[in-house]
Amino acid sequence: MCECTEDVPIMDITTPRNASLSGFYKRSFAYFTIKERLPRILTQSIDILVRKKEEIGKEYGENAKEELKTVIGEISKLKYEIQTNKPMQEIRSDAPDAKLYNEFVLQQPNKTYFTAVWLHAECYMYRRIREIFEQTQSLQSYDLFQIQKRSSFEANLAAVLQLSKYLVLKLADGQDVKSEFIKLLKLNLWGNQCDLSFSSGIVEDCSDWFQILDSLQPNIVSDQSEDVWSAVSDTNGSQIIDIVLDNSGYELFTDLCLADFLITHKFARSIRIYVKNMSWFVSDVMKRDFDWTLRQLLASDDKDMKYLGERWTKYLVDKVWVIIEDDFFTLPHDYSLMAATAPALYRQMAQAKVVIFKGDLNYRKLLGEKNWEPSTPFNVALQGFGPSKVVSLRTVKCQLICGLEPEVAEALSSKDPDWESTGKYGVIQYCDDIRKLD
Ligand SMILES: O=P(O)(O)OC[C@@]1(O)O[C@H](CO)[C@@H](O)[C@@H]1O
Ligand SMILES: [Mn+2]
């Protein structure tokens, strides 16, 4: 039994094969996340609000200081509900996504934090944070994680600088385009190690990847970068490439470098970039984070960073890059439900040559949060999702995976029992099993 007050027995086992990940299985990263990581994220957020009270008052008005007390109380309440395994409550909001949340949670057989599907419980927590700010007068637009996101970019300036120089050089040079593309793809993959939900909001230095890229090759446990290259470099058909972003900071910078490379080498006429429309899993990119990042580049003293800032601003003005916000990315639904829940988005993605999904959370959604047999082919694990060719770039931060050669998972587990929750390993996976909507 766990120490939860709702009298629910938590099983002291690992996640059974083919079951949904859930805090219900005590020997799982899902359990650890709900028990330790989510409450820690909330505690740290409260600390920041307390520390920044005066600054928030100056920026959002005196009333905001009063409302902060309510916000802090509500976040503490949310933390208590998680720790004591209460059922997920109805979201009180007129926003259209709240209705979908409420219907979705109602349909689920298990509604408490530790018994629900982990993906649902974790997404719900971030939606509740949004609700807390929605209920205020003065803090509607306040982003609880903005300070951490900005610090993460600032802490990784050295890596950004180094990559800027490299990219500026490579953009001007048409040599060896394939190997440069694959190199950028891998840099981009490792950029996904730098998320703040994983480190519970602790800003880490991500600067090493650039130097040690080759030595990391054995850690890419499934590498279909050749297939990705073939799909991306095919100049027949659609000239649009979609990227579903993950984290702000260094990872976003690597995404934009890849997006620039694709445009410069004419693999796409336009790149559509999908962002979150609320504060999400601490470090995920919202439009305002994207804009802030470009402003940092434009204001830089470094000529290459500034140049990229100008170049990318022009891409946005000319609609070569288009930023898209869609509610679907902050719903608890996995991607196999996109066609039914967000058919317009599915059809839009079907116009793309390739859709690149960044990061661990997107991978969980692609695989339907299920503990697949690790040798399950990627196209099977996608369970019918395939608006276009799908690429996933993901460092392995939780216990689900597919597309591995037989025995690879067993060998990794005996070498490093925690291999699935360290972020040290990565996958570059590809599927061209396209399923059009009627
Ligand atoms: O999607 P991202 O940024 O790569 O990772 C998000 C993440 O940190 O959050 C989840 C747990 O909180 C984990 O699945 C994953 O490690
Ligand atoms: Mn993320």
Side-chain angles (χ1 to χ4, degrees):
M1 299 279 278
C2 85
E3 49 280 24
C4 310
T5 56
E6 292 299 280
D7 202 15
V8 180
I10 302 292
M11 303 292 285
D12 194 6
I13 56 172
T14 56
T15 318
R17 194 54 86 206
N18 293 324
S20 297
L21 309 193
S22 169
F24 183 60
Y25 306 112
K26 195 165 180 175
R27 295 190 204 180
S28 72
F29 189 65
Y31 174 83
F32 172 67
T33 294
I34 299 170
K35 177 112 177 49
E36 306 283 346
R37 297 171 63 239
L38 300 185
R40 199 182 308 146
I41 286 169
L42 295 178
T43 305
Q44 280 162 356
S45 308
I46 292 174
D47 289 351
I48 292 181
L49 291 179
V50 171
R51 270 207 322 271
K52 299 283 172 182
K53 188 173 153 210
E54 292 305 321
E55 280 168 52
I56 294 171
K58 278 199 196 108
E59 195 176 337
Y60 292 85
E62 272 307 296
N63 184 31
K65 271 167 61 180
E66 263 321 292
E67 289 199 299
L68 261 187
K69 292 183 195 151
T70 318
V71 165
I72 291 171
E74 289 294 318
I75 298 176
S76 306
K77 189 163 152 256
L78 175 60
K79 182 175 142 190
Y80 173 79
E81 287 170 19
I82 295 172
Q83 289 179 312
T84 54
N85 196 25
K86 295 281 186 287
M88 292 179 259
Q89 299 171 10
E90 202 168 290
I91 309 268
R92 296 158 302 158
S93 160
D94 295 332
D97 74 314
K99 191 166 170 276
L100 290 171
Y101 258 93
N102 293 335
E103 284 168 6
F104 187 84
V105 171
L106 260 185
Q107 283 162 12
Q108 302 306 313
N110 300 310
K111 298 179 180 57
T112 69
Y113 290 93
F114 283 87
T115 61
V117 173
W118 175 33
L119 174 68
H120 306 164
E122 200 171 13
C123 290
Y124 173 86
M125 181 190 92
Y126 289 96
R127 184 60 185 84
R128 274 287 297 281
I129 295 175
R130 176 76 205 116
E131 178 204 42
I132 293 171
F133 287 95
E134 277 178 317
Q135 301 273 324
T136 66
Q137 298 283 321
S138 53
L139 292 165
Q140 297 262 345
S141 64
Y142 187 79
D143 174 1
L144 189 58
F145 303 117
Q146 177 176 290
I147 295 173
Q148 284 126 299
K149 285 185 267 193
R150 293 187 175 183
S151 318
S152 154
F153 180 83
E154 283 152 1
N156 286 296
L157 267 184
V160 168
L161 201 78
Q162 191 183 34
L163 185 49
S164 299
K165 302 227 163 312
Y166 183 79
L167 186 75
V168 169
L169 216 69
K170 290 296 162 189
L171 290 177
D173 157 19
Q175 303 291 306
D176 236 344
V177 176
K178 177 182 172 185
S179 68
E180 288 307 328
F181 169 77
I182 291 183
K183 192 167 179 176
L184 276 179
L185 196 69
K186 290 180 182 171
L187 263 175
N188 192 289
L189 161 70
W190 295 119
N192 178 244
Q193 273 203 333
C194 307
D195 90 81
L196 293 169
S197 146
F198 194 60
S199 59
S200 301
I202 313 287
V203 172
E204 286 172 326
D205 179 359
C206 313
S207 62
D208 281 349
W209 306 123
F210 201 65
Q211 290 94 329
I212 57 172
L213 203 54
D214 288 340
S215 65
L216 285 173
Q217 183 57 38
N219 291 18
I220 308 182
V221 293
S222 168
D223 183 359
Q224 292 186 268
S225 40
E226 287 284 336
D227 295 320
V228 178
W229 163 255
S230 303
V232 160
S233 59
D234 178 0
T235 46
N236 299 314
S238 169
Q239 293 303 301
I240 302 170
I241 293 181
D242 284 0
I243 305 182
V244 182
L245 290 185
D246 186 0
N247 302 306
S248 312
Y250 174 67
E251 180 172 358
L252 172 61
F253 187 75
T254 65
D255 297 333
L256 301 184
C257 288
L258 187 69
D260 194 349
F261 193 83
L262 294 171
I263 293 292
T264 302
H265 292 291
K266 302 203 167 29
F267 297 128
R269 208 178 1 91
S270 84
I271 310 274
R272 297 185 303 201
I273 300 172
Y274 297 89
V275 296
K276 306 294 190 300
N277 60 9
M278 67 181 79
S279 208
W280 200 244
F281 282 65
V282 187
S283 44
D284 285 19
V285 183
M286 297 165 70
K287 169 130 188 353
R288 59 171 96 159
D289 303 316
F290 192 105
D291 294 342
W292 180 85
T293 305
L294 285 197
R295 289 203 298 277
Q296 299 313 295
L297 296 177
L298 287 170
S300 172
D301 293 336
D302 177 77
K303 70 171 187 355
D304 295 317
M305 277 172 62
K306 197 176 169 63
Y307 169 71
L308 292 178
E310 285 162 359
R311 191 177 165 89
W312 296 349
T313 304
K314 183 156 175 11
Y315 282 159
L316 289 174
V317 171
D318 295 345
K319 301 202 170 26
V320 172
W321 286 359
V322 180
I323 312 260
I324 299 179
E325 293 175 294
D326 192 294
D327 273 356
F328 186 77
F329 297 106
T330 47
L331 288 178
H333 301 55
D334 67 53
Y335 286 127
S336 70
L337 301 172
M338 186 195 284
T341 316
L345 177 64
Y346 195 93
R347 287 201 175 87
Q348 181 174 294
M349 286 189 160
Q351 302 162 345
K353 162 157 60 167
V354 176
V355 186
I356 301 173
F357 289 87
K358 292 296 315 288
D360 197 69
L361 177 62
N362 276 324
Y363 195 76
R364 288 166 60 189
K365 290 183 150 188
L366 287 169
L367 267 60
E369 192 78 330
K370 191 165 147 183
N371 183 23
W372 295 96
E373 165 59 46
S375 60
T376 308
F378 189 39
N379 68 333
V380 174
L382 287 173
Q383 300 171 90
F385 177 71
S388 177
K389 295 172 180 167
V390 169
V391 173
S392 166
L393 304 176
R394 171 247 185 170
T395 59
V396 184
K397 300 178 200 160
C398 74
Q399 294 155 329
L400 89 171
I401 197 145
C402 71
L404 299 192
E405 293 296 327
E407 326 276 291
V408 169
E410 290 77 2
L412 285 164
S413 299
S414 54
K415 194 172 91 184
D416 180 358
D418 293 329
W419 75 276
E420 286 173 300
S421 42
T422 57
K424 278 195 229 153
Y425 296 89
V427 302
I428 298 178
Q429 292 181 323
Y430 170 78
C431 173
D432 54 12
D433 217 350
I434 297 173
R435 318 277 182 99
K436 294 272 183 227
L437 284 189
D438 298 332

